[in-house]
Amino acid sequence: MRTAFFTLLAATALAQTPRPGVNYDESKVGNDPLPDLKLTTAEEWTQTRRPEIVKLFEDHVFGKTPANLGAPKFEVTATKPDALGGIATRKFIHISLPAYPAWPGMDVMLYTPNHIKRAPCFVGLSFGGNHAVSQETDIPLNTRWMRESKEKNIVDHKATEATRGTESSRWALEMILKRGFAVATAYYGDIEPDHADGWKDGLRAAVSKDGANTVWKDGEWGAIGAWAWGLSRIADYLQTDAQVDGKHLAVIGHSRLGKTSLWAGAQDERFGFVISNNSGEGGAALMRRDFGETTAIITKAFPHWFTPKYASYAGNAAACPIDMHMFIALAAPRPIYIASAAEDHWADPKGEFLSGKFAGPVYALFGKKGVMVDEQPAIDTPVGDFVGYHVRTGKHDVTDYDWKQYLTFAARHWGR
Ligand code: GTR
């Protein structure tokens, strides 16, 4: 979901009319050393170092998620036992916060396979809403704010009938369900609309004591924090659903929602498998590498995603006490998968690989192997034991190829 501006910007840069400030030359990525992971023992990592690093990410990148917003309320609003031609049960669950009624809540769509009693579940937010994820035509159209797009049939910031199924190529529902996994998803804009003032109509204003007049300070949460919070509330619900194995949840996200799934996985260890699909800058890509999108570009285009402090590292990533190998390491010792796309230069595929590689020593503390290779593997050659990685042919997207790797990885780690 690049904005037209950024697609143009990336395309222009790749068409060899380099735009000042965007580098695609590997010899110019810089060589600032990464912050030290300061490793001692697995125990010390778990007790002390890991919480320190979570706090660094709160203070400098995403802001702190408010600890307790009260128990969420779950209402199952519809159940269809013969969804997708009978292979699945489909449920809608409305999640709200009784303590903060100003937040309109989120509508989760859950598909569980009918041939499995308690299925492990992939949990991820969508860009277009439940009706865009699935091709089933009886799904209520999402009514919240969406980014205007002629091409995507979003009119007056609202979804239209023509938006049904438009994101379905990114959610290999049949393949996932037939392999015995469930899928839970919701529209990210249910939690907070994705624009600079979106928070005023979303969760963050609803729970802040100054409401829509809040002035966000360093260390306070941004939109990615709010979206990640939403993923954890879906995990809360999934613990209560008899058709889901709540002990085997994978969190997945693409692009900005890949940054979000990494942050959700870092904060909520109930996500036993963390997936970053083309998450790029502010996600898996090392911030000290000046390649494609940079801290300066992202914090200018999308300041609302982060805590304000993050923008102070624009043009000065080396001053930031974290880099993204530490972000990946926060998943340890749980399995994590980082996926890149060969044409997705904007997201810096090599930088995404390197963060996985340099998280390896943390996995080693737990006696586990990471990516198991020194160099970024060839295109379409998945690698890794506890840190999976591939760079697939093609563009910034989620494809069946990506899902096949995630399903194989999950099945291997979860003995399915
Ligand atoms: C781009 C942004 C990327 C990525 C992408 C997306 O405009 O620069 O960091 O998040 O959007 O979410 O599709």
Side-chain angles (χ1 to χ4, degrees):
M1 270 232 182
R2 289 164 193 280
T3 59
F5 170 69
F6 278 99
T7 308
L8 184 72
L9 182 146
T12 312
L14 289 171
Q16 287 162 1
T17 29
R19 205 179 163 279
V22 182
N23 176 51
Y24 288 106
D25 179 347
E26 187 59 35
S27 72
K28 296 197 178 122
V29 297
N31 54 6
D32 287 315
L34 295 178
D36 189 355
L37 289 164
K38 298 190 191 154
L39 300 181
T40 52
T41 61
E43 202 195 355
E44 197 272 346
W45 170 264
T46 306
Q47 304 291 323
T48 314
R49 186 62 179 143
R50 187 181 185 283
E52 271 171 21
I53 294 177
V54 171
K55 180 150 187 342
L56 290 174
F57 275 89
E58 290 172 348
D59 291 349
H60 299 273
V61 187
F62 299 113
K64 190 169 170 57
T65 306
N68 190 0
L69 301 177
K73 183 174 164 192
F74 310 125
E75 292 160 85
V76 178
T77 55
T79 304
K80 180 180 174 185
D82 56 348
L84 296 172
I87 63 167
T89 297
R90 190 188 72 201
K91 276 185 201 162
F92 292 110
I93 306 100
H94 186 72
I95 302 185
S96 58
L97 276 183
Y100 298 95
W103 180 54
M106 61 200 286
D107 288 303
V108 176
M109 179 168 72
L110 170 67
Y111 280 108
T112 49
N114 283 339
H115 69 290
I116 300 269
K117 267 220 176 81
R118 289 168 74 83
C121 187
F122 287 89
V123 185
L125 300 173
S126 75
F127 288 94
N130 298 333
H131 68 273
V133 164
S134 171
Q135 301 216 2
E136 292 195 296
T137 51
D138 57 343
I139 295 171
L141 275 192
N142 190 288
T143 58
R144 306 277 328 253
W145 183 95
M146 295 197 183
R147 187 175 302 283
E148 197 68 10
S149 164
K150 248 209 184 115
E151 175 202 330
K152 295 206 169 78
N153 297 299
I154 309 290
V155 180
D156 295 335
H157 295 289
K158 297 280 179 213
T160 62
E161 282 294 324
T163 61
R164 290 192 176 282
T166 46
E167 205 173 327
S168 59
S169 70
R170 289 184 171 173
W171 298 83
L173 292 177
E174 268 198 28
M175 189 200 314
I176 302 167
L177 287 153
K178 285 185 174 159
R179 284 283 296 261
F181 292 88
V183 179
T185 182
Y187 173 50
Y188 80 139
D190 278 4
I191 306 161
E192 168 172 329
D194 185 8
H195 61 92
D197 284 331
W199 62 273
K200 295 182 182 173
D201 298 318
L203 176 75
R204 283 191 293 148
V207 305
S208 167
K209 71 176 178 358
D210 294 330
N213 296 318
T214 305
V215 178
W216 297 106
K217 296 198 249 342
D218 285 350
E220 292 180 331
W221 59 343
I224 289 177
W227 298 327
W229 175 93
L231 287 164
S232 285
R233 300 297 71 77
I234 301 177
D236 292 345
Y237 167 75
L238 294 172
Q239 307 305 314
T240 72
D241 193 300
Q243 283 164 300
V244 173
D245 173 359
K247 297 238 167 330
H248 289 100
L249 302 181
V251 64
I252 179 164
H254 170 60
S255 206
R256 70 197 66 185
L257 295 176
K259 315 179 206 299
T260 303
S261 63
L262 286 169
W263 185 224
Q267 296 174 93
D268 189 338
E269 294 180 81
R270 291 174 303 173
F271 292 118
F273 172 24
V274 181
I275 303 166
S276 150
N277 194 94
N278 307 179
S279 63
E281 190 69 28
L286 290 177
M287 72 187 281
R288 277 167 180 69
R289 275 173 57 87
D290 178 5
F291 191 100
E293 190 172 29
T294 60
T295 313
I297 297 170
I298 203 170
T299 55
K300 193 153 185 240
F302 306 105
H304 62 286
W305 289 356
F306 304 98
T307 200
K309 176 87 182 163
Y310 190 47
S312 72
Y313 302 109
N316 192 17
C320 189
I322 58 90
D323 210 317
M324 295 313 188
H325 61 316
M326 298 157 88
F327 201 17
I328 302 307
L330 290 178
R334 296 164 291 164
I336 187 165
Y337 202 110
I338 304 167
S340 304
E343 290 172 42
D344 188 13
H345 307 280
W346 185 244
D348 185 12
K350 186 168 179 190
E352 294 181 318
F353 166 74
L354 289 174
S355 68
K357 171 180 161 173
F358 292 127
V362 179
Y363 282 84
L365 281 183
F366 293 90
K368 294 187 163 31
K369 294 192 176 88
V371 292
M372 295 174 69
V373 289
D374 280 331
E375 302 293 329
Q376 188 184 17
I379 293 175
D380 299 331
T381 313
V383 295
D385 189 1
F386 273 74
V387 183
Y389 177 83
H390 70 245
V391 50
R392 102 174 123 67
T393 302
K395 295 190 175 40
H396 188 69
D397 200 358
V398 193
T399 67
D400 284 5
Y401 179 90
D402 297 314
W403 274 108
K404 269 182 204 146
Q405 314 318 315
Y406 305 149
L407 290 166
T408 305
F409 201 77
R412 170 154 63 83
H413 283 284
W414 289 343
R416 300 269 161 175

